[in-house]
Amino acid sequence: TAVSPSHFTVAPADPANLVLVPEPSSTAQAGIALATQPAVRLQDAFSNNVLESGTSVSASASGTGNGTAGGNTTASTDGNGTATFSGLSINGTVGNYTLTFSSGILTSVNATTTIELSAGNATQLSVSTQPSSTAMANATFGGPLNTTGAQPVVQILDAWGNLVSTDNSTIVAASLNTGGLSGNLSGNSSGPGITNRTVENSGLGSNEVYGVY
């Protein structure tokens, strides 16, 4: 007697693993959202996709620089079992970073893409070469009449102290704290960003009454 075949459907088991679909961008700027935002999918132990919503997935970052995941570091799965990140970034010093995604007891997943982090938006200035501690009236710092000093050099940095190498147009102006004395700066008291995105004032000096400024 022939036996009729029976048909049945195999449903996914409980979530066990996380998989990345897609990988994040391979380059990024500090504090700026990744151009390609990662998405993480739930799977069971047999690599079946688990269509479960409401599972929270967290992102963390590690690498050669001193940085952490920033922006929106958590995302929840939708009805397809996929957590799509939005606004995820890396905040910190330049270097190469790897993102890791985790959710409770589920097996976490590391991105195979290494992210090369560069400087973010310019937010601050730093004096890399200090001007002379002494000066003669009507003489440039580091000039023939003031040979022991140097012209000041200012660097343009992001919020994490990274040199902003893409900024070659910011104008930095120098001013003098007179402390109640009668004095002013002379020469080139402002300059745009140049090589290595530093601002170097050439010919800066002072016209001043003797005193401490």
Side-chain angles (χ1 to χ4, degrees):
T1 302
V3 178
S4 299
S6 59
H7 300 277
F8 57 90
T9 300
V10 178
D14 291 334
N17 306 315
L18 301 174
V19 294
L20 267 171
V21 283
E23 293 272 338
S25 310
S26 60
T27 59
Q29 289 181 263
I32 298 176
L34 299 173
T36 301
Q37 291 287 308
V40 179
R41 180 175 293 162
L42 301 178
Q43 287 190 344
D44 64 15
F46 309 99
S47 298
N48 297 308
N49 294 332
V50 179
L51 309 183
E52 181 177 292
S53 63
T55 298
S56 180
V57 179
S58 298
S60 60
S62 60
T64 59
N66 182 19
T68 60
N72 299 325
T73 58
T74 61
S76 294
T77 57
D78 56 20
N80 293 318
T82 301
T84 302
F85 284 80
S86 175
L88 179 64
S89 64
I90 298 177
N91 301 340
T93 57
V94 298
N96 295 322
Y97 289 85
T98 299
L99 290 176
T100 298
F101 300 89
S102 58
S103 178
I105 63 173
L106 304 184
T107 301
S108 61
V109 60
N110 293 326
T112 59
T113 299
T114 298
I115 301 173
E116 182 181 356
L117 188 70
S118 60
N121 293 326
T123 63
Q124 59 183 318
L125 301 175
S126 176
V127 179
S128 59
T129 300
Q130 295 289 337
S132 311
S133 60
T134 60
M136 295 179 61
N138 298 317
T140 60
F141 298 124
L145 299 179
N146 190 22
T147 58
T148 60
Q151 290 288 311
V153 177
V154 178
Q155 292 184 324
I156 302 170
L157 308 178
D158 67 9
W160 297 274
N162 299 308
L163 182 65
V164 181
S165 60
T166 56
D167 188 337
N168 60 1
S169 60
T170 296
I171 302 297
V172 177
S175 61
L176 183 68
N177 182 0
T178 64
L181 299 175
S182 176
N184 62 278
L185 291 176
S186 62
N188 300 323
S189 59
S190 65
I194 53 175
T195 305
N196 294 328
R197 277 48 191 179
T198 63
V199 177
E200 183 171 359
N201 288 317
S202 60
L204 182 63
S206 58
N207 299 325
E208 55 192 31
V209 174
Y210 174 79
V212 178
Y213 288 79

